[in-house]
Amino acid sequence: MNVKRATWLLTLVLSVAPLSATANQLVMTTPAQNSVLTIAPNQVTITSASSLQDMGNQLSVTAPDGSRVDDGSITVVDKSLTVGLKPLTIGGTYQVDYELISVNDSPLQGTFTFIFNAPAVIDRKSTRLNYSHEWISRMPSSA
């Protein structure tokens, strides 16, 4: 009798196990995971396989120097979570940390990175060369 009960219990557990295999998962990120950007994004969006709850989701972006560059304005639209960014001024690897809370599922936590190649800043005062006087003095006269 105990063997039959144990077999029945094992069958029940195995039949329920595939339900957890459909756990929420990441479908897409913008910027794309591991992408290299030359234009700074103004937001980060994560799309999951399941619809997200309106509350409890977290999304943060950290600059190469460890400072937070997200502006905290998280928006949820169905399966997507978006956070705005402050202007990115440092080149390097940015880290995105997230926790997605979907309806009827366990939280999905993770991290991904993207690289921003910040443009070089040119100091016009130190690099400006004044050739105007020399150029004007070499101009042929129109006599």
Side-chain angles (χ1 to χ4, degrees), residues 72-85:
S73 63
I74 294 177
T75 306
V76 177
V77 177
D78 192 31
K79 298 177 181 181
S80 295
L81 183 66
T82 301
V83 68
L85 296 178

Side-chain angles (χ1 to χ4, degrees), residues 53-115:
Q53 292 184 9
D54 291 334
M55 303 296 287
N57 298 290
Q58 296 179 22
L59 183 54
S60 63
V61 183
T62 308
D65 67 358
S67 63
R68 291 267 308 259
V69 293
D70 62 275
D71 64 10
S73 63
I74 294 177
T75 306
V76 177
V77 177
D78 192 31
K79 298 177 181 181
S80 295
L81 183 66
T82 301
V83 68
L85 296 178
K86 300 172 188 174
L88 305 185
T89 58
I90 302 171
T93 302
Y94 285 76
Q95 181 172 310
V96 179
D97 297 298
Y98 59 89
E99 181 174 14
L100 308 179
I101 310 295
S102 60
V103 179
N104 300 325
D105 205 351
S106 301
L108 174 63
Q109 297 177 328
T111 298
F112 73 92
T113 60
F114 64 89
I115 296 172

